[in-house]
Amino acid sequence: LREWVDVGGRWIIATWVSDRFGDYGLVGCALCSPGVDAVIVECFNLSCRVLHRGVEEALLRRVAEEAQALGLDKVLVPLVETPRNKLMRDFLARVAAWAAVPCF
């Protein structure tokens, strides 16, 4: 990861979660790169333990905040459709519908 981060202004946003039931620890990350007019999320990982608890929205919101700080008004999350990433596809479709932007 250190080698990846050292190229072209890339950065990583990591997410830790705790609640009244305990500390879940490090549960997710987004590996981001600046593009010409958008931040590109090269990798978006979350533990299944925190899905549907608002963590995915919070992580993507943080990416959008970073994009805005860089003067970029878009966040691109490339996705290769596989049988195992339906939850991510559904999440991105919900976000795109909310933001009124095209998805896939």
Side-chain angles (χ1 to χ4, degrees), residues 65-84:
E65 290 168 355
E66 295 278 336
Q68 189 175 36
L70 292 171
L72 303 172
D73 62 352
K74 290 185 239 171
V75 173
L76 301 177
V77 185
L79 182 78
V80 175
E81 186 174 337
T82 71
R84 296 188 60 158

Side-chain angles (χ1 to χ4, degrees), residues 6-24:
D6 287 341
V7 176
R10 295 171 173 166
W11 70 96
I12 300 170
I13 301 171
T15 303
W16 286 262
V17 172
S18 61
D19 63 14
R20 62 188 173 122
F21 300 110
D23 186 354
Y24 294 90

